[in-house]
Amino acid sequence: MKKIISTLIIAATFQSGLHAQSDSKPSEEQLYRPNFHFTPKKGWMNDPNGLYYKDDAYHLFFQYYPDGNKWGPMHWGHATSKDLVKWEETDIALYPDDLGYIFSGSAVVDKNNTSGFGDSKNNPVVAIYTYHNPNREKDGKIDVESQGIAYSLDNSKTWTKYSSNPVLKNPGIRDFRDPKVIWDAKRKQWVMALAAQDRAHLYTSKNLKNWTFQSEFGKDLGGHGGVWECPDLFPLKLEGSNEEKWVLIVNINPGGPNNGSAGQYFVGDFDGKTFKIDELFTKQLNKEKAAWLDWGKDNYASVSFDNVPQDKRIIIGWMSNWEYAQEVPTETWRSSMTVAREVSLKKTKDGYILKNIPVAQLKKYHEKSIRKTINIKAENQLVGKSEIDLSKAIIDLDLKKMSSGKYTFALKNTLGEQVLFGIDNKAKELFIDRSKSGKTDFGKNYATSVTKAPLSQVYSNAKMKLIIDKASIEIFFNDGEKVLTEIFFPNENFSELTLNTDTNGSSLVFNAYQLNIK
Ligand code: FRU
C-alpha cells in the first residue's frame, strides 16, 4: 500500500511538473531582466544623469517615467552602488514641477561649498538639469528649455530645488539642454557644457547659480546627422604620459555610424573659456568625419561620473537607441544601462583614440572559469550548454595568426536563434548581426542591417573582451580601441558559443568567466 501511494505521488508530481513545463513560457523577467546591467524595477528609463561618487558610494540617476513603459513626463530615478557593478534602485530623486519636466543633466560634489547650500563639513551635492516646459511646447514657443539646480545634503536621500530657478534662461534656442558641469581646478571655476541644437555651448560660474556664456563649439565639426545632446567636457592624461588633453563627448540623435543614436568625441585643448580641437584631431576628422565612442547601435547618452577616486574617468551609457527604444519587447520596464567603463586616451600618428574598457571591479565577480587553447578549424565549439552560464559571462578572446578571412562567433540557443559577431579581415571590419536573434520585428531599423565598424588594417593578432548578459553584448576590441554594444531578445536565453571561419592556421586562447551576480 505504502508503495502504491508513493508511486501515485511520484506520478502526480511528475505529471504536474510536465504540465507546468509545457504550459509555461519563460517570462520576460526570466528572458530579459539583466543579471547585472542596471534596469529599473518598472517603468521607462533613458539617459544616465547626475553620475557622481561620494562617501563610498556611486550614484546613478536616470531619465525616468515611472507610470508607463514609454517616454513620458521626466523624473530623475536614482540608484546607488558600492562598486559600479551591483546597483540598488532607491526613491525617485527629482519630480517634475511648475517649470517643467526634469530632463538630463549632471551632479557635482561642491567641495568648497561655492554654492553656499551646505557648509565646509557637509559638502552639498548639486544637480544641474534641464527644465523642459510642456505647456510652452504646446503653445508652440521656442524658449521651452532652461537650466535649473537642486541640492542634497544627505547623500541624495532628499533634494531641495533652488528657489530662484531657472539659473540659466533660454536664449531663443529650441534645443537647449543636458548641462554637464565639472570643476576646473586650474581656474577655480565651474564649467558647463550644454547642447544647443547643432553645437555645444560653454558657460562658467563661480557658484553654480550665476552662469556666464563663454564660447560655442562644433557647428561644422564632426557628426551632424541629428541634434546634439548630452555633451561632456573633461581633461584626460594621454596614455603613458603626463600630457593633458581635453575631451568633449557629444551624443547625437540620429546620425550614428550604424543609424540612430550614438556618441562621438572630440580631442583638443581648453583654456578656461574655449575648447579647440588640435592639429592632429583636425587631420583625423578630415579622414574620418567623426570619431565614435561606440559603433554598436545601443550605447547612447554616455556621460561620466564626477569625483571618482584616483581621477579615473568612468562613463555609463543608455543601452538602447531612439529608433526603437519605445518598442523593445519588454512590458514591465524598458531598457538598461551599459556596464560602467573606464576611458583612457591613446595618441597614435593617425590621431587620438578614446578607449573604453569595463571597470576592473567586475573581476571580483568572476566565479567559474574555463580556459581553452584552440587550433581554429572551420567550425569550433567554444562554450557548450552546461559549461558556464552565458547569460552572465565575461569572455576574453585572444586570436593569433589570423589570415585575411572572416571569423564569425555565434551566441546560440536550442531554438536555432543566434547573434553573430566577429572580425572580417577581408572586408576590414568588425560586425554584429542580430537578424536571427529572436524577436526582431519591432521598431524601426532594429535588425534590418548588419552593424559594422571599419578597421584600418588586416589584423593577424587581435583581442576581444565580451560582456554578455541575457539581452546584451558589449564587445571591446583590442583593449577598448573599438567598441560595439548591442541588445537582443531571443525566445530562450543563449547557451552556446561557437566560432566559424573560412580560413585555417589561426589559433585562439580563450578565457570565459561566469559571474557570481544576481
Ligand atoms: C537624450 C535626451 C536628452 C533629453 C532627454 C529627455 O536621450 O533626448 O537630450 O534631456 O533625453 O528624456
Side-chain angles (χ1 to χ4, degrees):
M1 184 65 177
K2 223 175 167 186
K3 197 167 175 214
I4 294 173
I5 291 175
S6 67
T7 314
L8 280 176
I9 291 173
I10 290 169
T13 318
F14 183 62
Q15 276 206 339
S16 73
L18 263 188
H19 189 69
Q21 234 179 25
S22 59
D23 252 16
S24 65
K25 279 201 190 140
S27 66
E28 70 171 27
E29 292 288 323
Q30 288 167 325
L31 279 176
Y32 307 131
R33 172 77 71 186
N35 277 317
F36 57 100
H37 287 79
F38 177 73
T39 193
K41 287 189 192 74
K42 67 167 184 76
W44 165 268
M45 174 176 82
N46 55 290
D47 315 357
N49 295 149
L51 307 172
Y52 78 90
Y53 173 86
K54 186 175 183 275
D55 298 336
D56 298 325
Y58 292 89
H59 293 260
L60 159 69
F61 300 85
F62 48 92
Q63 286 290 277
Y64 189 39
Y65 181 47
D67 301 322
N69 62 13
K70 288 200 171 134
W71 190 89
M74 282 289 118
H75 303 54
W76 273 27
H78 181 214
T80 61
S81 172
K82 290 272 169 213
D83 61 6
L84 288 165
V85 179
K86 263 189 137 158
W87 292 97
E88 198 177 318
E89 189 176 353
T90 61
D91 293 343
I92 292 175
L94 296 173
Y95 286 79
D97 60 46
D98 289 349
L99 292 175
Y101 301 159
I102 315 294
F103 270 21
S104 287
S106 50
V108 291
V109 182
D110 182 10
K111 288 181 186 163
N112 305 315
N113 191 30
T114 62
S115 62
F117 289 139
D119 54 49
S120 55
K121 277 198 214 93
N122 193 4
N123 299 155
V125 174
V126 180
I128 310 95
Y129 55 86
T130 296
Y131 272 119
H132 179 97
N133 190 312
N135 300 326
R136 299 190 76 76
E137 184 174 30
K138 256 181 242 136
D139 294 345
K141 299 261 173 30
I142 293 273
D143 55 350
V144 173
E145 295 179 341
S146 60
Q147 321 312 320
I149 60 176
Y151 63 93
S152 174
L153 299 172
D154 55 8
N155 281 335
S156 293
K157 281 190 198 73
T158 58
W159 286 89
T160 308
K161 289 182 183 138
Y162 179 45
S163 53
S164 302
N165 275 336
V167 290
L168 179 55
K169 294 208 175 84
N170 189 295
I173 301 172
R174 173 65 182 72
D175 296 294
F176 186 70
R177 58 177 175 265
D178 307 341
K180 179 72 170 74
V181 174
I182 55 155
W183 176 245
D184 173 8
K186 206 184 263 172
R187 279 139 309 229
K188 296 200 169 37
Q189 60 176 359
W190 297 102
V191 180
M192 177 200 291
L194 192 72
Q197 203 156 329
D198 59 349
R199 63 199 76 174
H201 279 189
L202 299 182
Y203 294 80
T204 57
S205 171
K206 292 285 178 198
N207 57 10
L208 294 163
K209 294 170 178 162
N210 306 311
W211 291 94
T212 309
F213 174 79
Q214 295 295 357
S215 60
E216 61 170 52
F217 170 82
K219 180 176 156 342
D220 300 311
L221 287 173
H224 277 281
V227 70
W228 280 25
E229 296 183 320
C230 302
D232 189 0
L233 178 70
F234 52 84
L236 204 56
K237 293 235 161 72
L238 286 178
E239 230 176 55
S241 131
N242 256 339
E243 190 185 340
E244 184 179 88
K245 299 303 287 184
W246 283 72
V247 174
L248 177 67
I249 291 180
V250 175
N251 288 277
I252 65 166
N253 176 49
N258 284 286
N259 296 324
S261 343
Q264 62 180 323
Y265 62 89
F266 300 87
V267 182
D269 302 296
F270 177 63
D271 63 5
K273 294 184 174 199
T274 309
F275 172 73
K276 274 202 194 103
I277 57 171
D278 70 8
E279 214 180 304
L280 181 61
F281 196 78
T282 307
K283 274 197 213 146
Q284 185 175 347
L285 276 194
N286 287 339
K287 270 193 257 155
E288 295 173 0
K289 290 205 181 77
W292 299 107
L293 189 68
D294 191 318
W295 290 77
K297 291 196 69 159
D298 298 302
N299 182 359
Y300 193 55
S302 262
V303 282
S304 65
F305 280 82
D306 184 60
N307 196 39
V308 176
Q310 297 158 357
D311 268 348
K312 285 184 195 251
R313 199 41 72 178
I314 309 285
I315 59 172
I316 284 188
W318 172 48
M319 205 150 51
S320 200
N321 190 311
W322 280 114
E323 283 195 321
Y324 44 74
Q326 303 193 79
E327 274 86 41
V328 297
T330 58
E331 293 295 319
T332 320
W333 79 94
R334 275 225 167 93
S335 75
S336 57
M337 296 298 179
T338 65
V339 287
R341 304 168 179 190
E342 183 174 351
V343 297
S344 56
L345 192 61
K346 180 174 169 178
K347 187 178 182 180
T348 72
K349 64 173 183 10
D350 300 319
Y352 297 98
I353 305 171
L354 189 64
K355 294 164 55 172
N356 57 110
I357 52 164
V359 289
Q361 287 91 327
L362 270 162
K363 287 200 186 113
K364 73 173 199 250
Y365 292 95
H366 286 185
E367 181 182 44
K368 199 167 149 190
S369 66
I370 48 178
R371 182 187 166 87
K372 295 179 186 172
T373 304
I374 290 168
N375 290 321
I376 298 175
K377 300 190 295 271
E379 290 176 17
N380 312 267
Q381 171 91 1
L382 301 180
V383 181
K385 239 171 279 153
S386 51
E387 284 186 278
I388 59 165
D389 184 349
L390 281 175
S391 66
K392 41 177 177 179
I394 297 189
I395 298 181
D396 286 316
L397 302 165
D398 206 342
L399 288 150
K400 302 223 162 79
K401 290 190 281 170
M402 286 193 289
S403 58
S404 62
K406 188 169 179 182
Y407 297 80
T408 304
F409 295 88
L411 267 176
K412 294 179 176 170
N413 61 20
T414 63
L415 306 175
E417 296 166 346
Q418 55 185 20
V419 171
L420 304 176
F421 59 93
I423 306 176
D424 188 341
N425 251 341
K426 213 175 290 160
K428 289 206 260 176
E429 62 199 19
L430 303 174
F431 63 93
I432 302 185
D433 179 353
R434 58 184 176 186
S435 60
K436 297 192 181 63
S437 62
K439 297 189 182 84
T440 55
D441 59 349
F442 56 87
K444 190 181 146 214
N445 291 336
Y446 169 74
T448 45
S449 59
V450 174
T451 293
K452 292 175 180 170
L455 296 174
S456 56
Q457 63 179 85
V458 172
Y459 282 87
S460 55
N461 297 321
K463 286 191 280 185
M464 286 204 279
K465 185 184 273 300
L466 314 175
I467 306 271
I468 307 171
D469 205 322
K470 288 183 192 169
S472 64
I473 185 164
E474 293 161 273
I475 303 175
F476 300 86
F477 178 76
N478 279 354
D479 298 318
E481 289 195 4
K482 257 205 182 135
V483 182
L484 291 99
T485 302
E486 293 212 344
I487 54 174
F488 40 73
F489 300 91
N491 291 298
E492 177 192 279
N493 288 146
F494 291 124
S495 50
E496 268 182 274
L497 181 68
T498 61
L499 164 62
N500 284 12
T501 184
D502 51 5
T503 68
N504 46 41
S506 329
S507 65
L508 169 69
V509 180
F510 165 88
N511 283 290
Y513 308 93
Q514 178 176 309
L515 300 180
N516 174 14
I517 205 163
K518 274 201 193 73

